[in-house]
Amino acid sequence: MTSRGAVVRNPSRLVTIVNVLIVVSLVAAVGAAASVLLTIAQAVPTVSVGSIGTATTSRGAIQIQVPITLSDKGPLSISDIDVQTTVTDSSNDPLLTGSVGPLTVAAGATSSLDVQLVLDTKTLPAALLQRLATTSENLTVSAVASTSLPPFVKVSATVSAPLAWGAPVSDLQMGTPVLALLNSTAITATVPVSFQNQNSLLTISGTGNIAVFDSNGTRVGGGTLQVNVPPKSSFLEPAALVVDLPSSQMLSLLFTDQNLSYRAVMTFLSGGQDVFSETLPISYSWKAPLSGLMTADPSVVPFNSTAVLVTVHVAFTNGQQFSPALSGFVKLAYLSQTPYVLNLTVQTSYGPVSKQVVMTA
Amino acid sequence: MISGAALAALVFLVFYYLPVNFSALVSGSLPSNGAAAVSSVAAAVVGSTPIIGLVLAVLVFLGAVLRGSRVYGMILILVGSLFATYTYLLFHGGSIGGTLPSDLSLGASGSFAIDASLLMVVLLIPSLLTVVKGALLLAVRG
């Protein structure tokens, strides 16, 4: 009470006290401002983004990792660093999400943040995955970042940028198959498969399954294709397929050239789920092994007193390049006065083929 | 007189010259995109506030010259008030917001928000105390 009264009675002393307060507050203000400015000025130039990496988890999710390094050389710690990242497509549907934080970089320390963007193939619609796999489009990357320099400053920012998404499986093509005989009921078809990985981030790696269907939609064969395509590169490898020959049409296939049409459905799996499926036509001009089989008019001449010699010219074209040489024999199956009935048997790769030839002579 | 001129020059440098030329001063040490962003943000934040810095420099010089006179208290009140106004305007009331320039790298754009209320309050205290001191001097000499 006494000292307060002395101050009031002596205004110059009050001024002195205010002067002291001004100096103290000025030092505190300059110190606070300088600390903030120094921390920002020395930290911002150290922010660096490392090389972007990708990985696929066991669940099939594709992770895109963006490493960010930050050094805090200022007097204040950088706290509550939080980055939420979202990648959306042209319809504004979220495709990838990622977050990091909250993290704190102590004064004088260096820290690395790994912003992970996760493309979860299990949660995205199949049609969207299919479109992303085969179509290049412009995506949008949005990031919401916040941090603070406690206790003085809190900063938040929202940034969006276009991201050119290149189709990982672009211009998928299957070439003309090269057939080879596997056994009497199946052939192998070596089909050149090509596509371009136009994506600048993703490596397409894994096993592609190829299923072959006939015109009725029945699965008649298939095969697998090992794929490892780095970003921005092309793929061209042969796929070995095993295709069953249509048993119901076998007789026709042996004698008649035909155009065989199939559908090849190629799928890529990730985490046990189809992430991409493409249907491509495969056609092959089948050349019959006994094409144009015909017999000329037989000649029958006496052989001895009890038999006649029947001579018949048999003609056909083995159009198959991959079949081994054909062999066969002709057996007189039935003989009457007329007509003569011959059984023509040819041993082919697909088993013995018999045809009855009726002759009048 | 000399100390007054030096103080006024310091005020001119810190509260007018540096804010007005901030972009040009930092652009040399930043990449072009970063410099453009900093320049754009600085222009949005600073605005026309540095004009007050010019008036402050003059008043600080006058205060040094007229120290001890009858009007010194009034000058202190003006200086304190203008410093407080300058601080308040520079900090946009404590919450600074704006849009990032559209010419950021890779076509990025966005917005930012800075909550610097506490720092603003800390910086306002000396100004407000200067006003109090001016008022006390006026009261004493009145």
Side-chain angles (χ1 to χ4, degrees):
Chain A
M1 189 67 187
T2 307
S3 62
R4 192 196 305 170
V7 168
V8 173
R9 284 194 299 273
N10 187 356
S12 62
R13 192 171 175 188
L14 196 57
V15 171
T16 304
I17 292 173
V18 172
N19 275 337
V20 171
L21 289 175
I22 287 174
V23 170
V24 170
S25 64
L26 202 56
V27 169
V30 170
S35 297
V36 170
L37 289 176
L38 275 175
T39 302
I40 293 173
Q42 296 190 32
V44 169
T46 68
V47 177
S48 63
V49 179
S51 59
I52 299 173
T54 59
T56 303
T57 67
S58 57
R59 289 182 63 250
I62 299 170
Q63 289 181 334
I64 300 175
Q65 294 163 331
V66 185
I68 300 174
T69 306
L70 168 68
S71 293
D72 181 6
K73 298 176 181 174
L76 299 176
S77 64
I78 301 174
S79 300
D80 302 324
I81 301 171
D82 191 277
V83 182
Q84 305 285 333
T85 311
T86 307
V87 179
T88 54
D89 66 3
S90 51
S91 307
N92 211 27
D93 291 326
L95 305 176
L96 293 85
T97 56
S99 65
V100 62
L103 296 174
T104 296
V105 182
T110 297
S111 185
S112 291
L113 325 171
D114 247 350
V115 178
Q116 289 191 340
L117 296 168
V118 179
L119 175 63
D120 193 347
T121 55
K122 289 190 185 304
T123 60
L124 292 176
L128 182 58
L129 286 173
Q130 178 79 12
R131 198 186 77 210
L132 286 174
T134 57
T135 310
S136 297
E137 63 180 286
N138 279 327
L139 308 178
T140 301
V141 181
S142 302
V144 178
S146 61
T147 187
S148 65
L149 303 177
F152 298 113
V153 176
K154 291 178 183 174
V155 181
S156 63
T158 303
V159 180
S160 64
L163 171 66
W165 172 266
V169 185
S170 173
D171 196 21
L172 176 63
Q173 291 182 341
M174 286 188 177
T176 304
V178 177
L179 302 191
L181 191 66
L182 180 65
N183 55 41
S184 61
T185 60
I187 55 174
T188 61
T190 304
V191 187
V193 177
S194 65
F195 65 87
Q196 294 176 351
N197 179 4
Q198 296 181 340
N199 198 283
S200 56
L201 297 174
L202 298 179
T203 294
I204 306 302
S205 178
T207 302
N209 288 325
I210 302 175
V212 181
F213 297 88
D214 64 12
S215 56
N216 298 321
T218 306
R219 180 176 172 138
V220 293
T224 59
L225 180 67
Q226 292 300 320
V227 174
N228 188 8
V229 194
K232 292 284 183 186
S233 58
S234 298
F235 175 83
L236 175 57
E237 292 286 339
L241 309 177
V242 175
V243 180
D244 293 335
L245 289 168
S247 56
S248 60
Q249 302 175 23
M250 202 60 219
L251 201 60
S252 170
L253 287 173
L254 290 171
F255 293 107
T256 312
D257 294 348
Q258 293 185 33
N259 283 322
L260 299 178
S261 296
Y262 295 101
R263 283 185 305 114
V265 179
M266 187 168 182
T267 56
F268 281 111
L269 298 175
S270 181
Q273 183 190 354
D274 291 354
V275 294
F276 163 73
S277 177
E278 186 79 7
T279 301
L280 297 167
I282 298 180
S283 61
Y284 181 73
S285 179
W286 169 270
K287 301 296 183 187
L290 300 171
S291 176
L293 177 65
M294 61 181 185
T295 55
D297 289 339
S299 65
V300 181
V301 296
F303 183 69
N304 54 34
S305 60
T306 60
V308 293
L309 176 64
V310 179
T311 303
V312 58
H313 290 278
V314 179
F316 63 88
T317 303
N318 181 4
Q320 294 197 319
Q321 295 179 340
F322 56 84
S323 284
L326 303 179
S327 62
F329 54 90
V330 178
K331 181 182 179 185
L332 183 63
Y334 179 78
L335 177 63
S336 61
Q337 286 289 333
T338 185
Y340 303 103
V341 178
L342 298 179
N343 242 356
L344 174 65
T345 303
V346 179
Q347 187 65 38
T348 73
S349 306
Y350 312 101
V353 177
S354 294
K355 186 168 185 178
Q356 284 194 332
V357 180
V358 180
M359 298 173 297
T360 57
Chain B
M1 178 77 79
I2 295 173
S3 63
L7 200 57
L10 183 64
V11 169
F12 175 81
L13 180 71
V14 173
F15 292 94
Y16 180 77
Y17 183 80
L18 286 180
V20 167
N21 298 284
F22 183 78
S23 301
L25 292 171
V26 301
S27 62
S29 58
L30 290 174
S32 58
N33 285 326
V38 169
S39 172
S40 176
V41 171
V45 171
V46 171
S48 56
T49 308
I51 296 294
I52 300 175
L54 276 179
V55 181
L56 275 172
V58 173
L59 285 176
V60 165
F61 178 73
L62 280 177
V65 171
L66 300 173
R67 189 184 184 100
S69 69
R70 189 175 289 266
V71 294
Y72 181 61
M74 183 57 70
I75 290 176
L76 281 186
I77 291 175
L78 279 175
V79 167
S81 302
L82 282 178
F83 264 122
T85 305
Y86 186 101
T87 305
Y88 186 84
L89 291 177
L90 192 67
F91 280 82
H92 293 238
S95 182
I96 304 168
T99 57
L100 293 169
S102 58
D103 55 352
L104 285 174
S105 62
L106 302 174
S109 61
S111 60
F112 67 93
I114 303 171
D115 181 3
S117 303
L118 182 60
L119 184 62
M120 184 188 73
V121 169
V122 170
L123 291 171
L124 278 175
I125 291 172
S127 307
L128 297 177
L129 286 172
T130 303
V131 173
V132 171
K133 180 184 172 181
L136 278 175
L137 289 177
L138 273 183
V140 168
R141 286 161 192 169

